[in-house]
Amino acid sequence: MAELDYEGFWKETLIQLRNDLGEEEFSGWFSDLKYLRAGNNSIVVGVPSKFHRDKVISSYQCAIITILKSISGEEINLEHEIIKQGPQKKETQPVKTSTAENPPAEKAPKPKEKRDRHSQLQENFTFENYVIGETNGMAGNAAIAVSRNPGKTYNPLLIFGGVGLGKTHLMQAIGNYVHENSDNKVIYTTSENFLNEFVQAIQDNKPNYFKNKFRYTDVLLIDDIQFFQNKDKIQEELFHTFNALFDSKKQLVFTCDRPVSELKTFSERIISRFGLGLIVDLQFPRYEERCAILKKEAESKNADIPFEVIDLISSNVSSNIRDLKFALNTLIAFTVLMKKPITLEIAQQQLKNIFNAPRQANLSMDKIIRVTAEYFSLTPNDLKGRKRTQNIVFARQLAMYIGKEMTEYSTTEIGQDFGGKDHTTVMYSIQKIKEKLLTDPTLELTIETIIRSIKEFSAKN
Ligand code: ADP
Ligand code: MG
């Protein structure tokens, strides 16, 4: 083993990667990697950050190992060590590329030295990686507008939509754009972190630390504000932060997993402030848009995916975009490892379990769907599907109504459990049942019976 030239293999691998990926992508991820030493049947390289390491692993590890094997004929693994860079490197020159009056032209030449990556933002959550179609057009374009002119167009911007539909991606795309194209300060925080920092500041008796941190920024991005439900104290703090930033024309962006009207015990004064800006929603994309997202993802991974495989995934994943990408990436990882081209057959085989796996997130909704379907001698898939036969439509509406009655789930969440339906469909269904209840005296009894069965079923399972 000792005589193997690991460093030579690594250099050769880099040459091949540069060829495969193209200069831009290659230098983004590999110019900062340093060969450190040969390990035990492995090559150890230094990476500048944990984020960088994770990206290399998730996107390139399989390809690298394959190349290493083809060069050396050996199974050589790649290990990563995080090495912090000295301050002398990558000094950012403060090039101001945009001013409020002169937003940068879309294709403005970029300064050669980029600003360092924003530590709170995912590098791949950019507009370039975000497919804008019909269902998310309004949200996507609003986000672009905000990123070009923070604080000046839609303020605040509130993006809502179910799990895995792209809220965080879109919000961070704004952050990444502003960070890269101006000197503006951007803060991204999850609501949970916002709360934790608040609590910590109180414990440490440094309330001003918290205030200063979140009130002196040009763009504040707060993700998943449904987390603030039932939490008065932090809502009050949010309210003050909001006012301080809003009054000085700083941009605020929020995301939420449900419509504002369904936020429980949420301060009215905050809700009314959302109304000052723009509220946009994200829905599960249509078939063509799903195909476009998959194609883009495949391209970014340099994977050659035949259309029938894209079609297979687009047609079978009906939950959210995260699951959509997950199915594709599972397939890419498999085929890279096995060194086989992706065919429809392989895809069907490999994705069978993913397609058939019940969604774990919302077990109680699944029970409601199951029992209601059974009551009408239908299957759960009838209720989750899109068939418009009268009896199916009625059973579906009823199950949605019961879901809303029996659980705390929002209409966005319920919609997702019904095969990725839009929250407005759920709202409409509930309304229909409410109307029927006024005119049909037997319906109440039916509902009571089904609810009793659901409770019995839940107790047993
Ligand atoms: P959410 O915050 O709504 O739960 P995320 O923003 O985390 O969802 O998105 C889930 C995944 O789907 C991410 O990998 C994201 O990049 C991807 N995604 C969502 N919307 C799009 C889109 N329009 N185009 C490309 N990828 C998308
Ligand atoms: Mg999110």
Side-chain angles (χ1 to χ4, degrees):
M1 279 287 142
E3 70 271 21
L4 289 177
D5 177 12
Y6 284 100
E7 188 164 11
F9 294 153
W10 178 242
K11 281 188 184 147
E12 191 61 34
T13 304
L14 289 180
I15 292 172
Q16 211 155 312
L17 279 170
R18 188 192 293 263
N19 258 339
D20 293 346
L21 300 175
E23 188 54 44
E24 193 173 330
E25 189 178 355
F26 176 83
S27 58
W29 292 110
F30 293 96
S31 57
D32 284 339
L33 259 54
K34 301 226 172 347
Y35 178 86
L36 295 180
R37 60 179 178 276
N40 193 9
N41 258 343
S42 66
I43 286 173
V44 187
V45 294
V47 291
S49 67
K50 178 173 178 308
F51 172 84
H52 203 117
R53 182 195 64 193
D54 292 348
K55 171 71 184 179
V56 169
I57 291 176
S58 68
S59 300
Y60 305 109
Q61 183 84 350
C62 290
I64 293 172
I65 289 173
T66 310
I67 296 175
L68 277 171
K69 176 149 192 197
S70 72
I71 294 168
S72 67
E74 301 280 344
E75 299 280 2
I76 297 177
N77 197 12
L78 183 71
E79 291 171 36
H80 322 77
E81 255 177 45
I82 297 166
I83 40 174
K84 287 268 169 281
Q85 294 182 342
Q88 83 287 0
K89 249 213 111 203
K90 273 200 163 186
E91 204 40 73
T92 341
Q93 58 194 89
V95 187
K96 194 154 180 116
T97 56
S98 94
T99 63
E101 293 75 33
N102 296 312
E106 203 117 336
K107 289 272 176 239
K110 289 210 181 113
K112 234 185 164 356
E113 288 280 336
K114 280 193 193 165
R115 213 170 159 181
D116 275 351
R117 212 175 53 70
H118 192 295
S119 62
Q120 295 155 337
L121 300 173
Q122 284 205 45
E123 197 163 26
N124 58 336
F125 279 0
T126 59
F127 288 115
E128 287 80 40
N129 294 336
Y130 193 83
V131 176
I132 297 184
E134 218 178 300
T135 39
N136 63 2
M138 170 100 173
N141 289 319
I144 290 178
V146 163
S147 73
R148 298 322 191 247
N149 259 322
K152 306 248 158 29
T153 47
Y154 309 113
N155 199 20
L157 178 67
L158 173 71
I159 304 165
F160 82 89
V163 179
L165 291 183
K167 302 182 294 297
T168 301
H169 187 142
L170 200 50
M171 167 181 254
Q172 293 206 0
I174 297 175
N176 272 318
Y177 186 91
V178 172
H179 180 75
E180 195 169 315
N181 293 284
S182 72
D183 288 336
N184 284 334
K185 182 168 177 200
V186 176
I187 293 183
Y188 167 86
T189 176
T190 61
S191 296
E192 195 174 353
N193 178 60
F194 188 79
L195 172 71
N196 289 341
E197 295 222 15
F198 178 61
V199 171
Q200 192 62 46
I202 293 179
Q203 272 176 8
D204 298 346
N205 208 7
K206 288 182 192 152
N208 285 335
Y209 169 78
F210 180 85
K211 285 197 177 71
N212 291 338
K213 172 160 184 183
F214 290 104
R215 290 183 200 176
Y216 292 95
T217 180
D218 298 300
V219 178
L220 178 61
L221 313 168
I222 304 187
D223 210 353
D224 287 318
I225 56 160
Q226 72 279 356
F227 182 78
F228 294 142
Q229 287 180 115
N230 305 315
K231 300 185 178 83
D232 297 350
K233 199 86 189 91
I234 191 69
Q235 284 184 28
E236 193 177 326
E237 207 45 47
L238 175 68
F239 181 70
H240 295 311
T241 307
F242 186 112
N243 290 342
L245 288 169
F246 186 82
D247 290 345
S248 43
K249 304 216 162 26
K250 305 299 186 189
Q251 181 71 44
L252 292 132
V253 184
F254 303 99
T255 71
C256 184
D257 75 351
R258 60 201 68 196
V260 182
S261 58
E262 287 174 35
L263 286 170
K264 297 228 167 72
T265 66
F266 221 85
S267 135
E268 268 309 315
R269 47 187 199 167
I270 296 183
I271 291 191
S272 71
R273 268 163 178 72
F274 291 145
L276 297 172
L278 183 69
I279 300 181
V280 288
D281 74 331
L282 290 172
Q283 296 168 12
F284 187 59
R286 286 182 225 287
Y287 169 81
E288 294 78 12
E289 296 165 314
R290 301 202 286 274
C291 291
I293 290 172
L294 288 170
K295 273 192 194 148
K296 183 150 221 162
E297 179 75 3
E299 268 166 31
S300 79
K301 298 265 158 79
N302 276 314
D304 193 12
I305 315 279
F307 179 73
E308 61 233 46
V309 172
I310 301 256
D311 169 67
L312 176 81
I313 300 175
S314 294
S315 310
N316 280 285
V317 175
S318 58
S319 47
N320 61 53
I321 302 172
R322 185 172 297 142
D323 292 350
L324 197 69
K325 284 193 167 175
F326 177 73
L328 180 72
N329 287 325
T330 305
L331 201 58
I332 294 177
F334 173 82
T335 49
V336 170
L337 268 179
M338 304 308 285
K339 293 203 220 155
K340 285 183 187 163
I342 297 176
T343 63
L344 183 59
E345 256 192 334
I346 291 184
Q348 279 165 334
Q349 184 61 32
Q350 286 305 311
L351 298 179
K352 205 167 46 193
N353 294 336
I354 294 185
F355 292 159
N356 292 335
R359 283 204 336 112
Q360 288 295 309
N362 237 337
L363 281 180
S364 56
M365 263 324 291
D366 266 359
K367 285 178 188 160
I368 291 170
I369 291 173
R370 191 163 150 177
V371 174
T372 312
E374 212 161 88
Y375 181 89
F376 290 101
S377 306
L378 296 167
T379 66
N381 280 341
D382 287 331
L383 299 203
K384 292 182 188 179
R386 302 201 175 252
K387 261 192 232 145
R388 309 269 329 144
T389 334
Q390 207 180 354
N391 63 331
I392 294 183
V393 169
F394 177 64
R396 193 181 288 143
Q397 289 176 343
L398 203 60
M400 288 177 177
Y401 175 87
I402 293 174
K404 190 75 192 141
E405 287 286 298
M406 288 184 81
T407 72
E408 293 286 297
Y409 297 125
S410 64
T411 49
T412 23
E413 287 169 309
I414 294 176
Q416 290 204 319
D417 288 323
F418 278 83
K421 293 194 174 58
D422 175 25
H423 79 280
T424 52
T425 307
V426 181
M427 280 156 95
Y428 174 82
S429 301
I430 294 170
Q431 188 52 34
K432 279 279 145 204
I433 297 298
K434 281 186 180 160
E435 282 166 18
K436 276 210 182 86
L437 274 168
L438 296 177
T439 55
D440 177 355
T442 64
L443 184 55
E444 206 172 320
L445 200 65
T446 308
I447 292 175
E448 273 172 26
T449 311
I450 297 176
I451 289 183
R452 205 173 326 114
S453 310
I454 293 169
K455 286 183 179 157
E456 279 165 17
F457 180 77
S458 283
K460 276 190 235 139
N461 291 274

